[in-house]
Amino acid sequence: MGSEAPLPKWASTPCIMGIDEAGRGPVLGPMVYGCLYCARSYQKTLATLNFADSKTLKEEKREELFENLKADDSIGWSVDVIDPRELSAKMLKKNKVNLNEISHDSAIGLINRVLNMGVLLTEILLEYSDQSKGITRLMKENGGLVYLDTVGDADKYRIKLSERFPSIKFVVAKKADSLYPVVSGASIVAKVTRDRALREWVLEETSENMHRSFGSGYPGDPETKAWLAHHKHSIFGFPTLVRFSWGTCTSYYKDMVEVESDKVDEDVGYGSSGKQLKLSNVGFGKASKRKIEEIESSGKGRCKFFHSRKLEQLTHF
């Protein structure tokens, strides 16, 4: 998602690019990385467009500025929307990927995407010749510049990026979204994209009692906590909107069913009490085969998940 017009002429001149994120902390919804880029020659004009750290702007102002930058032919932008399921899966898999690494990978992906489009972010090499002295050599001229709001240690992050993209100059700083207009613009791109994604989110689950009054999505929001408590399921956990790897969800796990296996997985966690419900406690245990078939055929005792989807047990294929 982003600028889809043919590459403008200014993109073949040295450009600057800003990268920022929205939605790193919430327990609900995607995390979005956004970038904004333009010619270095447009930098002074960019400073007059009233871009600011998106967190300091009201929603109406962010939307207005986003529409303005989309209509500006001298600006390009792009986003990477990271689904909450992807975040949790990476953070909980055996070879875990932490949130900082996910953030770094997203930023690197945006840089690659813009470079592959043909936007000039790299340094320019010019051949310099002095025939009177018989000297020919290559000289570097100021090329592109990429600004980022830091994730983790700023110096380590800059070194990591420089090793990956040795021909690009990076500026990595805390609160870069309030220091550099190009990062402020990227912040607005990311924040508006995330806000719209949440507003338009289609809940895949079909339980009768589901609703969208989930508040801000931040762990400390009482409305968000109430929504989580109301929408947890003892077997299926949380709706796909939830980042179930977040610590906020941990307190709900003690009420969920324990999955038993012949093999012990060191990564399996338990609630604070050390005990969880077993599948046998919710009607899937040691009942006779005939009894199970009777229950299945009648539809009684079946979980809402199966009932709402009209799913039935198959005994013959």
Side-chain angles (χ1 to χ4, degrees), residues 4 30-31 38 151 251 260:
E4 297 178 356
M31 180 170 73
C38 66
V151 176
S251 60
E260 292 187 320

Side-chain angles (χ1 to χ4, degrees), residues 73-121:
D73 293 335
S74 297
I75 292 174
W77 60 280
S78 189
V79 293
D80 180 27
V81 181
I82 308 170
D83 189 274
R85 287 168 293 189
E86 180 182 349
L87 289 170
S88 294
K90 286 182 175 180
M91 294 176 73
L92 292 177
K93 68 179 185 177
K94 188 171 183 180
N95 297 318
K96 295 176 174 56
V97 183
N98 65 40
L99 194 59
N100 281 3
E101 292 176 286
I102 295 172
S103 299
H104 291 176
D105 289 345
S106 183
I108 288 169
L110 285 174
I111 295 168
N112 275 322
R113 186 186 303 176
V114 172
L115 285 173
N116 291 337
M117 289 167 56
V119 178
L120 183 58
L121 296 174

Side-chain angles (χ1 to χ4, degrees), residues 238 244-254 270-272:
F238 293 101
F244 52 86
S245 59
W246 255 233
T248 311
C249 299
T250 305
S251 60
Y252 300 106
Y253 293 158
K254 63 180 180 295
Y270 295 87
S272 58

Side-chain angles (χ1 to χ4, degrees), residues 197-270:
L198 275 178
R199 285 200 302 268
E200 298 165 6
W201 192 276
V202 177
L203 293 168
E204 297 179 8
E205 297 75 19
T206 57
S207 176
E208 297 175 359
N209 298 321
M210 295 190 72
H211 61 80
R212 297 179 54 86
S213 301
F214 43 68
S216 66
Y218 280 87
D221 186 337
E223 194 171 3
T224 299
K225 290 181 178 179
W227 189 89
L228 287 170
H230 180 73
H231 288 80
K232 72 178 187 297
H233 190 283
S234 60
I235 296 176
F236 300 105
F238 293 101
T240 53
L241 178 65
V242 180
R243 304 177 189 178
F244 52 86
S245 59
W246 255 233
T248 311
C249 299
T250 305
S251 60
Y252 300 106
Y253 293 158
K254 63 180 180 295
D255 300 322
M256 294 184 182
V257 171
E258 174 189 356
V259 178
E260 292 187 320
S261 171
D262 293 336
K263 295 181 179 180
V264 176
D265 189 339
E266 294 178 357
D267 288 339
V268 172
Y270 295 87

Side-chain angles (χ1 to χ4, degrees), residues 118-132:
V119 178
L120 183 58
L121 296 174
T122 56
E123 292 177 315
I124 303 171
L125 290 175
L126 296 176
E127 187 175 83
Y128 169 78
S129 298
D130 187 337
Q131 294 181 353
S132 63

Side-chain angles (χ1 to χ4, degrees), residues 298-313:
S298 68
K300 295 178 180 178
R302 190 181 302 161
C303 176
K304 286 182 181 179
F305 178 88
F306 299 113
H307 209 297
S308 63
R309 290 166 172 76
K310 297 182 171 57
L311 298 176
E312 298 180 0
Q313 184 182 38

Side-chain angles (χ1 to χ4, degrees), residues 7-54:
L7 195 67
K9 290 182 179 180
W10 57 258
S12 59
T13 66
C15 294
I16 60 171
M17 177 178 175
I19 299 176
D20 199 16
E21 55 77 26
R24 180 179 170 87
V27 67
L28 301 181
M31 180 170 73
V32 177
Y33 258 77
C35 73
L36 183 142
Y37 52 93
C38 66
R40 290 189 73 155
S41 58
Y42 195 69
Q43 199 164 3
K44 288 185 178 179
T45 304
L46 193 69
T48 68
L49 300 182
N50 298 317
F51 292 158
D53 175 4
S54 64

